[in-house]
Amino acid sequence: MINDLWYKNAVIYCLSVATYMDANGDGIGDFQGLMRRLDYLQGLGVTALWLMPFQPSPCRDDGYDVADYYGVDPRYGTLGDFVEFTRGCEQRGMRVLIDLVVNHTSNEHRWFREACSDPKSKYRDWYVWSARKPKNAESGVVFPGVQKSTWKYDKTAKAYYFHRFYDFQPDLNTSNPDVQAEILKIMGFWLQLGVSGFRMDAVPFVIAKKGAGLTRPTEQYDMLRAFGEFLTWRKAGAIILAEANVLPDTDLKYFGDSGERLQMMFNFEVNQHLFFALASGESKQLIKAINDTKPRPATAQWGQFLRNHDELDLGRLSKKQRETVFAAFGPDDNMQLYQRGIRRRLAPMLQGDRRRLELAYSLMMTLPGTPVIRYGDEIAMGEDLRLPERSCARTAMQWSTEPHGGFTKSDKPHMPVISEGPYSFQHVNVAAQRRDPNSLLNWMERIIRMRKEVPEIGWGDFSFLRTRTPAVLAMKYAWRNNSVLCMHNLSSEPQEVHLSMHNDDEADCTLVNLLSEDHSSPENGKHSILLEPYGYRWFRVCGLDYLLKRSAT
């Protein structure tokens, strides 16, 4: 059972083939280049790799405008290269998740072209049409300030088509049983080639009914059950990691009451309140967000993250909270996006402060769920705000001080490497940090290894201990007769914390620090712990003989 639920205690690493490593010198990353970096990824300690889209595409939206679901874009290699890649991951004990973008296709996809050219084509009903422009065409746009409408007229089809995102991404009519069957076929194809699951893009839109006459959103949750049953039938341990930015009271509708729908979802609620906690130095709202998202089936898991390839969406925060985060991490208009988010990477948001970076990653690693790391964050890469929209945080990986950061031999890389300022590849790169035992890269390797040795976080139940200071977050995890206590000081000031264990059996126990020699012994049942500014502690409760005490169930 534990093997099938591997994602409960995993560390996932997100990357784009296009920006990771270029082996053939054409300026675009490829699977052969990625394969040459598998030993690096294995050494980092990650459990699974999540690949952004690599299928054939016009790449007007970094591959999220898919033109063929059953292939590899020639710029990145061949299907044979992909199979060699999945085989290489398997040999190194790493699983592969790939993006599944089935809310929409590219307008250059064969299905859409046939749907436009022939009203009697079976593909006509694979998309969403209206003879007249709907009255609500300007509502529901995903990219305010960039996108003006969700309906566009096609001269060939002589009708308007629905597009939740950009106008070159027509939405699929996912209510159509033939479209749903095709989605399962796509999943089965890639499972057969060695993947262990999918990061499903825009899940609330995938399962929503679509059409010009709809006045309120209606979700088809049974579709998620069909996806889950298909995965279970086809491959043991296969999962869907869903991008679903939804309110906590709807979480169980996505997971299913018994976990029969989705296996994992990104926790956007906690992510947004985590950044408010980092900006304000207070833990109250973060604690509430964690508790609000606590209910979930035993087989379900949250994906916890700091930054990803999109903007930092702050839409769930109040206006005042959002202004606090903007002021701290994205004060300039050029740093903000879509009237709701910040388009920066984490390191420059935290002003390159190593203390705050470690605090943020330690906090993310100890949240209830599975941590998801973005490529380049292990070395504190920055962004290039001269690039449009979200491209600024999707620059090429910085491997060394060689030209273009060692990413490519080409004089004209497809995506520029950051070459100026404190986050340029001359200052921030893997090679230099490998040689420095105190680098962020080596710290990240150690923290990932420790996270995998603390399964209580992934598998156990949690509670919060009273710290009597709003700046300190103290979470205790319990699983199979063992406990772990994780503490984080969100403040720039030192904090002294006095606390007691909830369990009488642990009242007199020593707290053994897993990351240093700073242990804590109680006096009269109370621990007094001094946390430095932005300090953090991972304690094992009652010593290091936990493996001898771990119960079987």
Side-chain angles (χ1 to χ4, degrees):
M1 182 66 172
I2 287 180
N3 185 52
D4 284 351
L5 302 181
W6 61 271
Y7 52 91
K8 296 283 283 185
N9 193 50
V11 178
I12 300 173
Y13 185 93
C14 167
L15 64 90
S16 167
V17 178
T19 56
Y20 209 64
M21 187 76 185
D22 171 25
N24 63 9
D26 65 355
I28 303 174
D30 46 51
F31 276 108
Q32 289 190 16
L34 176 54
M35 282 187 279
R36 296 176 189 181
R37 291 299 184 180
L38 290 183
D39 290 329
Y40 165 79
L41 292 166
Q42 181 187 25
L44 188 59
V46 296
T47 310
L49 305 182
W50 155 30
L51 303 187
M52 293 170 63
F54 54 82
Q55 290 86 1
S57 165
C59 283
R60 297 180 66 184
D61 184 23
D62 278 335
Y64 283 90
D65 46 334
V66 178
D68 178 6
Y69 288 102
Y70 298 101
V72 171
D73 194 299
R75 289 171 287 191
Y76 310 141
T78 66
L79 275 175
D81 291 330
F82 178 80
V83 172
E84 286 295 300
F85 159 72
T86 58
R87 174 64 176 167
C89 290
E90 181 183 8
Q91 290 175 325
R92 292 166 176 82
M94 296 185 292
R95 297 174 186 257
V96 177
L97 309 177
I98 68 171
D99 252 308
L100 183 64
V101 187
V102 291
N103 175 69
H104 52 263
T105 70
S106 165
N107 60 358
E108 297 184 26
H109 197 293
R110 176 179 59 86
W111 301 342
F112 187 69
R113 287 180 171 178
E114 288 194 26
C116 291
S117 62
D118 183 3
K120 297 181 180 180
S121 167
K122 74 170 186 176
Y123 297 115
R124 185 75 166 200
D125 194 42
W126 283 36
Y127 295 89
V128 184
W129 302 94
S130 176
R132 297 178 177 84
K133 188 174 184 178
K135 295 180 179 180
N136 62 347
E138 280 71 41
S139 65
V141 298
V142 175
F143 305 130
V146 177
Q147 176 189 4
K148 296 182 179 180
S149 174
T150 56
W151 291 86
K152 182 177 176 63
Y153 186 75
D154 184 85
K155 295 180 180 179
T156 303
K158 298 180 180 179
Y160 288 87
Y161 65 86
F162 179 68
H163 57 92
R164 175 64 71 178
F165 296 93
Y166 296 112
D167 60 12
F168 53 82
Q169 295 170 323
D171 267 39
L172 284 166
N173 178 15
T174 48
S175 296
N176 186 327
D178 291 339
V179 173
Q180 294 180 24
E182 189 71 22
I183 293 173
L184 298 183
K185 183 179 175 183
I186 293 166
M187 292 166 64
F189 176 83
W190 293 106
L191 288 172
Q192 199 69 25
L193 294 183
V195 309
S196 292
F198 307 89
R199 177 266 188 188
M200 183 175 281
D201 187 58
V203 172
F205 298 144
V206 172
I207 65 173
K209 290 185 178 180
K210 307 172 185 180
L214 296 176
T215 57
R216 63 177 62 183
T218 302
E219 290 79 15
Q220 304 163 95
Y221 293 109
D222 284 345
M223 198 185 303
L224 299 178
R225 178 168 185 160
F227 295 158
E229 289 177 345
F230 180 84
L231 286 177
T232 303
W233 170 54
R234 276 295 181 95
K235 188 171 185 177
I239 68 167
I240 289 177
L241 169 55
E243 182 198 31
N245 188 353
V246 295
L247 293 171
D249 59 0
T250 60
D251 292 340
L252 287 177
K253 294 181 180 179
Y254 284 83
F255 285 130
D257 292 335
S258 303
E260 74 277 10
R261 293 175 180 169
L262 296 173
Q263 293 77 28
M264 287 188 71
M265 284 202 300
F266 285 110
N267 198 327
F268 286 93
E269 184 77 11
V270 166
N271 175 258
Q272 298 182 42
H273 287 91
L274 184 154
F275 274 92
F276 175 69
L278 292 175
S280 65
E282 297 184 358
S283 62
K284 181 179 178 181
Q285 294 302 316
L286 177 57
I287 291 173
K288 182 179 185 302
I290 296 172
N291 278 326
D292 286 347
T293 55
K294 184 175 184 177
R296 66 180 190 270
T299 58
Q301 186 71 312
W302 286 114
Q304 303 286 5
F305 65 104
L306 291 171
R307 291 291 293 110
N308 58 25
H309 58 289
D310 291 329
E311 77 283 0
L312 170 62
D313 189 343
L314 303 172
R316 299 295 181 199
L317 302 183
S318 68
K319 182 179 179 181
K320 185 177 180 179
Q321 290 172 335
R322 191 159 51 246
E323 289 175 351
T324 298
V325 180
F326 278 144
F329 302 136
D332 298 339
D333 290 344
N334 190 37
M335 298 173 178
Q336 301 171 16
L337 191 63
Y338 306 140
Q339 304 170 15
R340 63 170 183 260
I342 297 175
R343 67 187 195 113
R344 309 183 72 194
R345 272 192 178 258
L346 183 69
M349 287 172 66
L350 299 180
Q351 299 177 323
D353 189 330
R354 176 67 179 270
R355 301 171 305 166
R356 300 177 75 186
L357 283 169
E358 288 190 14
L359 171 72
Y361 283 113
S362 173
L363 182 54
M364 186 262 286
M365 290 279 183
T366 56
L367 290 173
T370 295
V372 183
I373 302 170
R374 179 124 186 274
Y375 81 92
D377 280 359
E378 71 270 27
I379 58 172
M381 277 177 57
E383 76 274 332
D384 185 349
L385 292 173
R386 295 172 298 183
L387 298 174
E389 295 185 65
R390 297 169 293 182
S391 297
C392 65
R394 301 178 181 182
T395 55
M397 183 67 178
Q398 298 169 193
W399 294 106
S400 68
T401 57
E402 295 175 352
H404 304 296
F407 163 69
T408 180
K409 290 291 187 182
S410 172
D411 293 331
K412 297 180 180 179
H414 164 69
M415 179 62 74
V417 181
I418 298 174
S419 57
E420 298 177 359
Y423 298 98
S424 68
F425 69 85
Q426 295 92 337
H427 302 299
V428 178
N429 63 76
V430 170
Q433 293 197 25
R434 270 179 166 168
R435 293 189 287 265
D436 179 3
N438 296 314
S439 68
L440 181 66
L441 174 61
N442 281 306
W443 179 88
M444 191 72 80
E445 289 183 7
R446 292 192 295 269
I447 209 75
I448 289 174
R449 181 173 65 245
M450 185 55 67
R451 171 61 181 81
K452 293 193 296 185
E453 293 180 11
V454 185
E456 289 83 357
I457 299 174
W459 284 92
D461 192 14
F462 67 85
S463 59
F464 293 97
L465 301 188
R466 291 187 61 190
T467 64
R468 295 179 174 82
T469 171
V472 176
L473 180 72
M475 295 186 70
K476 179 187 171 189
Y477 290 90
W479 182 66
R480 293 192 174 181
N481 206 33
N482 288 288
S483 299
V484 173
L485 173 64
C486 303
M487 302 179 65
H488 294 85
N489 177 16
L490 302 167
S491 168
S492 60
E493 301 292 331
Q495 304 288 337
E496 186 177 33
V497 178
H498 305 280
L499 52 78
S500 304
M501 296 293 102
H502 290 161
N503 192 333
D504 292 340
D505 294 338
E506 300 170 343
D508 297 322
C509 281
T510 297
L511 301 179
V512 178
N513 194 324
L514 295 176
L515 304 174
S516 72
E517 295 297 325
D518 182 20
H519 312 311
S520 176
S521 298
E523 293 186 7
N524 299 320
K526 281 190 175 292
H527 292 270
S528 296
I529 299 169
L530 178 63
L531 292 170
E532 66 277 11
Y534 306 119
Y536 55 92
R537 301 288 187 275
W538 294 22
F539 290 117
R540 266 218 176 270
V541 181
C542 297
L544 297 179
D545 59 345
Y546 61 98
L547 291 175
L548 302 176
K549 297 187 298 182
R550 182 177 293 166
S551 62
T553 59

